[in-house]
C-alpha cells in the first residue's frame, strides 16, 4: 500500500500536477496561519523555497531523488542544522548557528526533502508539556478543533475559550503540533489532499517519551525507533544512552518510509548498529492469528483515566476477536523506572551540559572578573530552573560518595527493567500493547499547577521504561475522548524488530480509523489551498 | 620496615613523551590557581612523614622512599583520539580543531584505531595483560582549555593492566656494576589531551589554543616500586626507548623536557617530607592534601562509546570486518625488537660490554650510526665500538651535538677504520684524520691521509735505515737500555716516530729496534 501511495505521489510530482514549490508555499502559508500555535521556533522559508526550486528542477529533468524529494519536513530545534539557528529553546543557544547538519537532517536533505523550519520544545528537551522553553508554550491544535469545541459547548462552564487551550505534551510538542496542524487543512472537504499533506512530517527526539507523548496528545503517529538504529550525531543530547531521533507522522506507513531513510550505521555515531539496514515497506497484515499481544499488568495504574483504560481494553479485545493471542504479562520492575530514570537522566544531563561555558559558542555573560565568575554567570543566565535543577541533582548523584548508591544502583535497576522486557519477549510475546499517556491533553492552566519534575514523572510513566531498554515503540492515535480529544495507545516491540512493530501498528491503525482533526475556524482560509486538488483524486482512489 | 610511599604523579601533558612530575603543577587543577591539587585522587601519597632511605637519622626508624609514576605519552598518530583532526607540532593556533574538539553540541567521539593499536603494542611490550574489553569514562572538571567540561579516559577498566618494566641501574662506582630492577606497570589507559591556555597577565587575559585538545595519550601508571629518583629516571628512560622502538610515541623531541624532569626526579629523590607533592615549576614540594582544593571528578561511563572489544586469533569472529576489529595476536607479531633484546644481541654479536650496549641505545641515533659503520667497514666490531663510544661520542658531547648533527658520516668513519685496519695509518694518525673529518671540509679520509702525508711508512728498508741512524745518534740511550732500564726502548721508539713524522707503527719500530740492538 505504502509503496503504491508513494509511487502515486511521485508520479504526480513527476507529471507536474503539483510542483514542490507549490507544495512548499502551501506549507509556508499554513505555518503562518497557525503561528499562534507556537509550533515553530524558526521558519526557514528561504532555504525551503530554494530546496523546492532545486527539487522542481530535478522533477522536470525526471531525476527525482526518491520518495521524499520535494516533501516538506520540520525538525525539532535540538537537531543541528547547518546555517540555521539551533536553540534547544534555551537562552544558552540563542543565536547559535551550527556549522554542520545532524546525520538525520543530512539524510533527509540528501533525499530532496524541504526543510520548513525548526520546531518548539521544552528547554533542552527537558519536559513533558512543551511549555518550558524560552519561546513559550506550544498550543495543541486540537484546542481549536471542531470536535473539542463542540464538546466543550455541551458541558460548557467555560466562558473564556482562549485561556483554555491545551498543551501538546512534550518535549517534541512543536513537531507534533506541526504535523497535526498541517493535516487539519488536508481535511477541509478535500480528502485528496490528506495524502499530500500526510506526507508532511516532523522529526522529534525521544528520550523518555518525548515523541510518543505529544503524538498521543496531538493525534498523530509517534515512533521511537530502537536505540542504535538511527544516528544521534548532531542531536543535541539530553541522555545519550536513551536519546533516539523520533518520527512524527500522520500515518504508520509514512513513519516506516522515513525510518527506512534514516536507519542505518553512521560512522559518526559509534552506538549505531553495524549491520546494514534494508529499506523496507510495510506489508498489510490480513491475519493476526499468529500474533501474541502482551498486556503488561503493571501499566494498569490508579492514575490511568477510565477512558484510556477502556480504550486499551477495547484494543486488546479487538486483537483477540480477530484471532490474536492476547495475554497478560508482568514487567515487575516498572514502578522503579521513573526514579531510576531521574538519576540516570540528571547525571548525563550534568555531564552533557558541562560544555556550555560561554567560551566556544552560545551565550556568554558580560562579566569578565574571572573565568569562574564568567562560567557561573553564563550558566545562570543561559539555563532555566529546570535545566539547572537537573544539573545540580546530576552532579550530586555523580559525587564519589554518592556514585555507588545512586548512579550504579540506577544502572542495575535499568538492567532489571530491560530484562523484564527480554523475559516477556522470550515467553513468546511479539508486541506489547499499553497506553501512551494517562489521559488526554490537559489545559495549560491545569498543567502548570504542577512543576516540571512532577509532570515529567507522571507523564513519562508508560513511555520511559522503553527508553531504558532501548526498544522500539510507537504511539498510534486510537479515538477521541468524551471531550473530543485524541487518545493514543502504544505498541512496544523487540529490539531492532521495528518493522514487525510497525506492521502490527499499521493493522491496528486501519481497524480504528482515527478521525481527522477539523479546524472549523481556519477552514475559511483554506479554499485557495485546495484549488487544484482534483488532480490527486484520480490517482489516489 | 615501614614503607610509606611518595608517589610521583604526572603533572600533565604537554610534552611528546614522558611528563613526570606531580599533581600540584598540573595546570588542570581548579583554575583558581590553588596550588595543591593532585591530578587525580589516587595520586597521593603517604599519610606519615618519612625521610629518605639514603639519610636515615640516628635514633629514628628507617623510612624508605618509594617512588611511583604516572606518565603521559603522546601517541604517535596522524589524527586525534576521537576526531579526524590532524596531529601536527607547531601548527598555527586553533588550526587543527574539529567540531568535536571544540565540543560543538551534538558531536560524538569516534575511536581512532591507530591509538588503540599503539596502546595494545605498548601493553604487549610491557608484558601487560591486555583486557579483551575495556571501557571509557568521563572525568569532569571545568577548565578553559577543556571544551567539553570533561576528559574521556579509562578509569574503571583500562586497556592493559599488570605489566612490568625492567631497567638496569648502576649500583657501584664502576660502570660494570649494573643490576636489573623491575617496576610493576599497574595499568595503561587511553585518554584525551586537553588544549593549551596561554595566560597574558599584562592584559589579564587567557588565550586558548585547542590544537592539542583531543590528541591521544597513553597514561602509564607505574607502581611505587622504585626507591629513588635515579631509579625512576632510569625506568622512565627505558620506557622512552621502548616507546620509540615500538613507534607508539615519538620520544625524541622532548629530550629537553625529559632531561629536565629526570633532573627533577633525581633531585626529588631527596626531597622527602610529609604528604607532599613535588612542584616542578616552583622547584619544591607543596602539601598535597588540601581539602579546599580536593576535586571530585564525578566519573561517569562515557555513553557515546560502546565497550572497546579486542580479539585474538582464537576469538576473532569470522564474520568480522577486519577494519572494525583489532587482533592482539597480529599486533604481537608486528612487535619490533625491544631495547632489552637489542642490547643482548649487541653483547652477543659484537662481544661488547653490557654497559656499552646501554650507551649505544641511550643516545638517540647512536645505535643506527654504529650499525651503519659496522656494515661498511672491515674493522673489528670491538674497534668500531671503541671508536664510536669514545672518539665519536666524545666529540659530540664536547660540542653538545646530537648524532644527527654530526659532521662525520658513518661511511667516513668506516673508511677511516678501514685504513687503520689494514695498517695504512697508525692509530694516532687516525685520530688526526678524525679531527680533520670533524672540520667537515668535504674531504674523504683517504684524501686527508694523502694531503697530510699520514700513511704509514710501507718501505721496510727506509724504516731500517731510520732506526739505525737513530741508534747511532743516541748512544747514551742505548747504553741506558743495556744497563737494564726497560723504559729506554720507549724513548728510542719515540725518536724514530718523530723521524718518520709519525707515519710508522710503533710496534713495527719496536721490532726493528730490538732486532738491530740484539744483532
Amino acid at each position: 500500500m505504502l509503496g503504491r501511495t508513494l509511487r502515486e505521489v511521485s508520479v504526480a510530482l513527476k507529471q507536474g500536477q503539483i510542483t514542490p514549490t507549490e507544495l512548499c508555499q502551501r506549507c509556508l502559508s499554513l505555518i503562518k496561519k497557525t503561528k499562534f500555535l507556537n509550533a515553530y521556533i524558526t521558519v526557514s522559508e528561504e532555504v525551503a523555497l530554494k530546496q523546492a526550486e532545486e527539487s522542481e528542477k530535478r522533477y522536470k529533468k525526471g531525476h527525482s531523488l526518491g520518495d521524499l524529494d520535494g516533501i516538506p519536513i520540520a525538525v525539532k530545534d535540538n537537531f543541528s542544522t547547518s546555517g540555521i539557528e539551533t536553540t534547544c529553546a534555551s537562552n544558552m543557544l540563542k543565536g547559535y548557528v551550527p556549522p554542520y547538519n545532524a546525520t538525520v537532517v543530512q539524510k533527509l536533505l540528501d533525499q530532496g526533502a524541504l526543510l520548513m523550519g525548526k520546531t518548539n520544545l521544552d528547554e533542552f528537551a527537558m519536559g513533558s508539556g512543551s511549555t518550558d522553553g524560552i519561546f513559550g508554550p506550544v498550543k495543541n491544535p486540537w484546542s481549536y478543533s471542531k470536535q473539542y469545541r463542540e464538546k466543550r459547548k455541551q458541558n460548557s462552564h467555560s466562558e473564556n475559550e482562549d485561556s483554555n487551550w491545551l498543551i501538546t505534551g512534550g518535549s517534541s510538542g512543536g513537531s507534533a503540533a506541526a504535523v497535526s496542524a498541517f493535516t487539519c487543512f488536508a481535511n477541509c472537504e478535500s480528502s485528496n489532499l490528506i495524502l499530500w499533506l500526510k506526507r508532511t512530517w516532523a522529526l522529534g527526539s525521544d528520550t523518555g517519551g518525548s515523541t510518543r507523548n505529544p503524538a498521543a496528545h496531538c493525534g498523530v503517529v509517534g515512533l521511537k525507533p530502537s536505540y542504535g538504529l538511527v544516528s544521534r550525531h548532531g542531536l543535541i543530547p539530553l541522555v545519550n544512552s536513551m536519546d533516539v531521533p523520533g518520527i512524527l507522522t500522520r500515518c504508520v506507513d509514512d513513519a516506516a518510509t522515513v525510518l527506512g531513510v534514516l536507519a542505518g550505521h553512521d560512522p559518526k555515531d559509534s552506538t549505531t548498529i553495524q549491520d546494514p539496514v534494508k529499506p523496507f515497506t510495510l506489508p498489510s497484515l490480513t491475519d493476526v492469528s499468529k500474533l501474541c499481544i502482551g498486556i503488561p499488568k503493571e501499566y494498569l495504574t490508579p492514575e490511568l483515566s477510565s477512558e484510556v483504560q477502556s480504550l486499551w481494553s477495547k484494543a486488546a479485545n479487538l486483537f483477540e476477536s480477530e484471532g490474536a493471542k492476547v495475554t497478560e504479562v508482568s514487567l515487575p520492575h516498572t514502578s522503579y523506572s521513573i526514579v531510576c530514570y531521574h538519576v540516570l537522566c540528571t547525571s548525563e544531563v550534568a555531564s552533557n551540559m558541562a560544555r556550555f561555558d560561554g567560551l566556544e559558542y552560545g551565550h556568554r555573560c558580560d562579566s569578565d572578573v574571572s573565568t569562574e565568575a564568567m562560567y557561573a554567570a553564563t550558566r545562570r543566565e543561559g539555563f532555566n530552573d529546570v535545566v539547572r535543577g537537573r544539573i545540580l541533582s546530576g552532579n550530586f548523584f555523580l559525587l564519589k560518595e554518592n556514585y555507588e548508591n545512586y548512579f550504579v544502583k540506577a544502572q542495575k535497576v535499568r538492567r532489571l527493567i530491560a530484562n523484564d522486557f527480554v523475559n516477556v519477549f522470550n515467553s513468546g510475546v511479539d508486541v506489547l500493547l499499553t497506553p501512551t499517556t494517562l489521559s488526554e491533553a490537559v489545559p495549560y492552566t491545569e498543567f502548570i499547577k504542577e512543576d516540571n519534575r512532577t509532570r515529567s514523572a507522571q507523564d513519562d510513566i508508560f513511555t520511559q521504561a522503553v527508553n531504558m531498554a532501548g526498544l522500539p515503540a510507537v504511539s498510534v492515535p486510537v479515538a477521541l475522548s468524551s471531550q473530543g480529544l485524541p487518545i493514543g495507545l502504544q505498541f512496544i516491540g523487540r529490539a531492532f524488530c521495528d518493522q514487525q512493530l510497525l506492521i502490527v501498528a499499521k493493522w491496528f491503525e486501519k481497524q480504528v480509523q482515527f478521525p481527522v482533526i477539523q479546524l472549523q475556524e481556519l477552514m475559511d482560509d483554506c479554499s485557495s489551498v485546495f484549488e487544484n486538488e482534483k488532480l490527486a483524486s484520480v490517482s489516489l482512489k | 620496615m615501614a614503607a610509606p610511599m611518595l608517589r610521583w604523579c604526572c603533572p600533565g601533558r604537554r610534552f611528546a613523551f614522558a611528563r613526570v612530575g606531580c599533581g600540584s603543577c598540573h595546570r588542570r587543577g581548579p583554575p583558581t590557581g590553588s596550588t595543591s591539587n593532585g591530578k587525580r585522587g589516587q595520586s597521593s601519597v603517604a599519610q606519615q612523614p618519612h625521610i629518605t632511605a639514603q639519610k636515615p637519622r640516628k635514633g629514628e626508624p628507617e623510612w624508605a622512599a618509594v617512588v611511583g609514576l604516572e606518565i603521559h605519552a603522546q601517541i604517535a598518530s596522524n589524527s586525534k583520539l576521537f576526531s579526524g583532526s590532524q596531529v601536527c607540532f607547531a601548527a598555527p593556533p586553533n588550526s587543527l580543531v574539529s567540531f568535536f574538539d571544540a565540543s560543538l553540541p551534538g558531536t560524538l567521539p569516534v575511536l581512532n584505531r591507530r591509538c588503540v593499536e599503539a596502546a595494545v603494542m605498548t601493553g604487549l611490550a610491557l608484558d601487560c595483560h591486555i583486557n579483551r574489553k575495556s571501557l571509557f569514562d568521563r572525568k569532569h572538571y571545568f577548565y578553559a582549555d577543556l571544551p567539553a567540561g570533561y576528559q574521556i579516559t579509562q578509569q574503571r577498566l583500562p586497556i592493559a593492566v599488570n605489566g612490568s618494566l625492567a631497567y638496569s641501574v648502576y649500583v657501584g662506582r664502576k660502570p660494570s656494576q649494573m643490576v636489573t630492577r623491575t617496576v610493576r606497570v599497574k595499568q595503561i589507559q587511553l585518554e584525551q589531551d586537553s588544549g593549551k591556555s596561554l595566560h597574558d597577565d599584562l592584559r589579564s587575559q587567557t588565550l586558548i589554543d585547542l590544537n592539542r585538545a583531543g590528541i591521544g595519550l597513553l597514561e602509564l601508571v607505574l607502581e611505587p616500586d622504585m626507591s629513588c629518583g635515579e631509579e625512576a629516571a632510569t625506568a622512565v628512560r627505558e620506557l622512552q626507548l621502548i616507546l620509540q622502538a615500538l613507534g607508539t610515541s615519538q620520544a625524541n623531541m622532548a629530550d629537553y623536557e625529559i632531561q629536565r624532569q629526570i633532573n627533577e626526579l633525581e633531585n626529588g629523590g631527596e626531597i622527602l617530607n610529609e604528604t607532599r607533592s613535588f612542584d616542578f615549576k616552583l622547584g619544591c614540594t607543596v602539601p598535597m592534601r588540601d581539602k579546599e582544593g580536593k576535586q571530585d571528578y564525578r566519573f561517569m561511563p562515557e555513553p557515546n562509546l560502546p565497550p572497546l572489544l579486542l580479539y585474538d586469533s582464537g576469538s576473532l569472529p569470522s564474520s568480522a570486518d577486519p577494519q572494525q576489529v583489532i587482533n592482539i595476536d597480529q599486533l604481537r607479531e608486528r612487535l619490533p625488537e625491544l631495547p632489552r633484546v637489542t642490547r643482548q644481541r649487541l653483547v652477543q654479536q659484537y662481544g661488547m660490554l653490557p654497559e656499552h650496549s646501554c650507551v649505544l641505545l641511550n643516545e638517540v641515533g647512536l645505535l643506527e650510526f654504529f650499525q651503519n659503520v659496522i656494515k661498511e667497514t672491515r674493522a673489528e666490531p670491538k674497534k668500531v665500538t671503541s671508536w664510536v663510544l669514545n672518539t665519536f661520542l666524545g666529540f659530540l658531547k664536547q660540542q653538545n651535538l646530537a648524532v644527527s648533527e654530526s659532521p662525520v658520516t658513518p661511511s667516513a668513519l668506516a673508511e677511516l677504520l678501514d685504513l687503520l685496519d689494514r695498517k695504512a695509518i697508525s692509530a694516532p694518525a687516525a685520530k688526526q684524520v678524525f679531527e680533520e673529518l670533524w672540520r667537515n671540509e668535504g674531504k674523504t679520509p683517504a684524501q686527508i691521509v694523502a694531503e697530510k702525508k699520514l700513511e704509514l711508512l710501507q718501505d721496510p728498508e727506509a724504516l731500517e735505515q731510520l732506526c739505525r741512524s737513530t741508534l747511532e745518534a743516541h748512544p747514551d740511550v742505548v747504553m741506558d737500555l743495556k744497563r737494564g732500564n726497560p723504559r729506554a726502548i720507549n724513548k728510542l721508539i719515540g725518536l724514530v716516530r718523530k723521524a718518520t713524522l709519525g707515519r710508522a707503527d710503533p710496534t713495527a719500530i719496536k721490532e726493528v729496534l730490538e732486532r738491530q740492538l740484539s744483532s
Side-chain angles (χ1 to χ4, degrees), chain A residues 80 93 96 98-100 227 231-237 240-241 265 267-271 274 347-348 350-357 359-361 368 371-372 375 379 395-396 398-401 403 407 411, chain B residues 30-33 41-42 99-111 137-138 140 142-150 156 204 206 208 210 294 296-306 321 324:
Chain A
S80 302
L93 285 179
Y96 167 65
Y100 75 102
Y227 184 85
S231 169
R232 292 179 294 117
H233 174 253
L235 166 61
I236 298 176
N240 304 279
S241 62
H265 178 65
K268 290 172 182 157
D269 178 356
S270 309
T271 62
Q274 300 275 348
S347 298
E348 284 200 34
S351 176
N352 288 332
M353 297 293 144
R355 70 188 57 213
F356 298 106
D357 56 13
L359 283 181
E360 281 83 10
Y361 43 80
D368 59 353
T371 313
E372 296 72 38
Y375 286 162
R379 291 165 69 80
N395 277 319
F396 175 82
L398 289 177
L399 284 177
K400 212 173 173 184
E401 70 211 68
Y403 186 74
F407 191 85
Q411 275 194 317
Chain B
T32 45
Q42 67 193 64
F99 298 152
F100 175 79
D101 303 329
S103 81
L104 291 200
T107 53
L108 299 169
V110 178
L111 185 57
D137 303 282
R138 290 180 180 180
H140 299 90
F142 281 106
Y143 203 81
D145 58 23
L146 187 74
Y150 56 81
R156 290 167 299 165
S204 57
T206 299
I208 308 292
L210 294 181
K294 195 179 165 194
D296 190 324
Y297 292 111
R298 290 158 288 129
F299 284 101
M300 186 192 90
E302 167 55 65
N304 294 321
L305 289 167
D321 174 1
Q324 294 292 331

Side-chain angles (χ1 to χ4, degrees), chain B residues 3 51-52 182 222 275 306 333 365 388 417 437 463 500:
Chain B
I51 58 174
T52 64
T182 302
L222 306 188
T275 305
E333 281 163 28
V388 168
L417 293 179
L437 282 175
L463 186 61
T500 63

